[in-house]
Amino acid sequence: MNYLNLLHDSADEFGPIRVYDDGKFRILSFADGDEQSRIKLATPHILQHEYTQAMTLTLLFCQQPKRVGILGLGGGTLLSAFYHAIPSIQITAVELREEVIESAKMYFKVPQGKRIQIEHADAQEYIKKGFNRKVDILMTDLYNTDGMEHGVLEKSFIENCARQIKEDGWLALNCWLSHKDDPHLVSTLKASFSDIRALDTGSGNWVVLAGKIKNEMNSKELKAIAQKVSQQLGFPLNKWLSRLYTIE
């Protein structure tokens, strides 16, 4: 990577907020050595981090979502990807840190308009009350200066998420690899979801996809859909689909 230019350096009660730029990529960081979000300046809507790409596998099971919820805005990369890939989609993103919201808007080319609502709130508290309307897909990516928010693994949080998802909707949960196949988490998910799948991204993240109803498509059908959705997103999904396994 080229020399990193520091564009923004501030802090709030939760820790530092820094934005770096090397002329090709822009990075949001919450700690030394941390890379919370990354965009390619020429194509900010095309996801760069592997775990965020993997989370969009939900689009294979819910191909035309009308409403998407995102818990944890960061640099707004998931928001941008969904906004550009799916015409007329309505997106609500929830972010704890007001300065992160402002940084996303100022430095990360986050789209704005009638189809997008960004809420300044604690996502774990927000999801208790929920969205104005249930969502087709709910993405959870809650991390702070110290790492993953531990409350994401709690039974109450998973149950609250499930209540905000439509009967045929899906949840994407970004976890650390250390949580892989965690029996408590799996048991909690099974209580609210009928179809649970997961993959190791190979970069330290374990991504879980959970559907309210069982999806019966075979591998050939999923591969065909992945090729179509890949064109919408701007990156190949089959790489991640090949790693996806079902948790029985």
Side-chain angles (χ1 to χ4, degrees):
M1 178 178 287
N2 299 328
Y3 174 78
L4 289 175
N5 180 35
L6 181 61
L7 298 183
H8 176 91
D9 187 3
S10 65
D12 60 13
E13 61 184 296
F14 303 103
I17 300 167
R18 300 187 181 106
V19 178
Y20 298 94
D21 187 308
D22 71 350
K24 184 178 180 181
F25 295 98
R26 191 161 289 171
I27 297 164
L28 175 67
S29 175
F30 291 160
D32 291 340
D34 165 73
E35 189 171 299
Q36 180 67 25
S37 298
R38 168 191 286 255
I39 62 167
K40 188 174 183 179
L41 293 171
T43 52
H45 59 285
I46 297 180
L47 293 168
Q48 300 297 312
H49 280 165
E50 294 182 326
Y51 80 89
T52 56
Q53 292 185 4
M55 291 176 78
T56 63
L57 284 171
T58 48
L59 288 171
L60 305 190
F61 308 108
C62 183
Q63 297 170 52
Q64 291 297 327
K66 294 180 179 178
R67 297 183 181 276
V68 169
I70 301 173
L71 303 183
L73 177 69
T77 57
L78 282 169
L79 187 157
S80 295
F82 274 96
Y83 180 86
H84 283 86
I86 305 165
S88 76
I89 194 171
Q90 302 284 326
I91 304 172
T92 300
V94 183
E95 171 57 49
L96 175 65
R97 305 169 72 177
E98 186 171 12
E99 195 161 341
V100 170
I101 295 174
E102 296 306 314
S103 295
K105 291 177 179 178
M106 181 176 295
Y107 297 108
F108 290 87
K109 303 185 179 183
V110 173
Q112 300 179 55
K114 294 181 179 179
R115 295 195 280 130
I116 293 174
Q117 183 177 358
I118 299 177
E119 298 280 1
H120 174 215
D122 182 335
Q124 296 178 73
E125 292 298 319
Y126 184 94
I127 202 66
K128 293 178 182 179
K129 180 180 179 181
F131 304 100
N132 293 331
R133 297 175 66 178
K134 290 186 177 183
V135 297
D136 300 285
I137 294 175
L138 179 58
M139 316 288 276
T140 68
D141 186 22
L142 297 177
Y143 281 71
N144 56 36
T145 303
D146 299 318
M148 180 179 170
E149 287 283 357
H150 296 294
V152 170
L153 303 177
E154 295 297 324
K155 183 173 183 286
S156 59
F157 178 79
I158 299 296
E159 289 175 343
N160 288 332
C161 286
R163 279 194 287 268
Q164 299 306 317
I165 299 172
K166 294 179 184 177
E167 292 182 0
D168 57 350
W170 283 76
L171 169 71
L173 186 66
N174 178 35
C175 303
W176 286 127
L177 188 57
S178 58
H179 301 120
K180 184 177 180 180
D181 298 328
D182 177 83
H184 172 72
L185 176 58
V186 170
S187 175
T188 300
L189 286 165
K190 285 183 175 180
S192 297
F193 297 92
S194 300
D195 192 338
I196 304 169
R197 311 186 189 206
L199 72 154
D200 174 356
T201 66
S203 56
N205 297 81
W206 186 58
V207 172
V208 180
L209 311 180
K212 286 288 196 72
I213 60 175
K214 186 74 175 176
N215 185 282
E216 301 294 346
M217 285 188 291
N218 59 38
S219 59
K220 183 178 180 180
E221 291 171 321
L222 287 172
K223 286 180 182 178
I225 295 170
Q227 288 182 339
K228 178 182 176 182
V229 177
S230 294
Q231 294 177 352
Q232 295 172 260
L233 292 169
F235 57 84
L237 272 176
N238 273 316
K239 173 184 177 180
W240 308 116
L241 178 59
S242 66
R243 299 186 183 188
L244 193 66
Y245 63 93
T246 300
I247 298 177
E248 301 293 351

